Amino acid sequence: LTDAGVPRATPVKLHLWDVNLGQALTILLTAVCPPATDGDGQATPRLGYTVTDNVVTVSTVGASNRMTPTVVYNVRDLIEMHIAGSNDTAPDPQRVQASLTHTEAAEALGRNLMEGIAPDSWRQNGGALGSYGYFGGLLVIRQTPENHREIAALLQKLRDADKKIPWSTPAATQPVAQPGTPAAGQ
């Protein structure tokens, strides 16, 4: 906190209802240390938090972003749902309809995560922090704690979706559609 210019004895008074702990921490950190504005007028949080082995650590965003844990996400169900959804689409007479493979579905999911969550941070996009790999129904992702929270929220949204999963798929099967991104701090 002192690195961000926040004295340890800073008083805080908050009244929060119907928020989870992650949202409460984000609100609290924003209250004690308002975001900085960069040259483009974009607000950037100065404090962040990580959770490791049930311990919450508050630090400056620069320090927490240097911590890039690796998390394994079981996405077998999403891959199967996506393959089933792509096979339900009406064939396009102008294209050859190909059956979507598990690897193609996983690549589509990975591309959508990289496009929807901090696109400039992924090594596959030229960034320096994040990376992902797919191994037998598991996405192995190295990313910042904040981006992991967004990844988990997006994967849950995909699981909860009542309609077909809006992922981009290879050009041979259907046009590209982009998912929405979850709100920060969820």
Side-chain angles (χ1 to χ4, degrees), residues 112-168:
N112 278 272
L113 289 173
M114 288 190 308
E115 291 169 5
I117 298 171
D120 295 338
S121 71
W122 297 88
R123 290 180 184 176
Q124 289 95 327
N125 289 343
L129 295 174
S131 63
Y132 85 95
Y134 175 74
F135 306 97
L138 305 173
L139 274 180
V140 179
I141 299 178
R142 183 173 176 92
Q143 211 16 294
T144 66
E146 176 64 26
N147 291 340
H148 274 299
R149 286 188 286 277
E150 290 189 30
I151 289 165
L154 180 55
L155 292 175
Q156 189 59 49
K157 277 186 178 181
L158 291 173
R159 286 183 171 100
D160 294 342
D162 291 335
K163 56 186 189 277
K164 288 186 178 152
I165 299 173
W167 305 351
S168 61

Side-chain angles (χ1 to χ4, degrees), residues 6 10-14 24-35 47:
V6 179
T10 301
V12 177
K13 184 176 183 178
L14 292 174
L25 281 170
T26 300
I27 293 166
L28 172 66
L29 296 177
T30 301
V32 298
C33 187
L47 292 176

Side-chain angles (χ1 to χ4, degrees), residues 57-124:
T57 304
V58 174
S59 62
T60 61
V61 168
S64 66
N65 281 346
R66 285 190 297 274
M67 296 173 54
T68 52
T70 300
V71 176
V72 178
Y73 297 92
N74 184 339
V75 293
R76 288 179 183 103
D77 61 326
L78 293 173
I79 298 300
E80 293 298 330
M81 287 170 32
H82 186 54
I83 289 171
S86 71
N87 292 338
D88 290 344
T89 60
D92 183 345
Q94 303 298 321
R95 298 185 192 162
V96 174
Q97 186 73 15
S99 180
L100 192 62
T101 68
H102 284 84
T103 302
E104 290 169 331
E107 288 173 0
L109 176 57
R111 279 193 310 274
N112 278 272
L113 289 173
M114 288 190 308
E115 291 169 5
I117 298 171
D120 295 338
S121 71
W122 297 88
R123 290 180 184 176
Q124 289 95 327

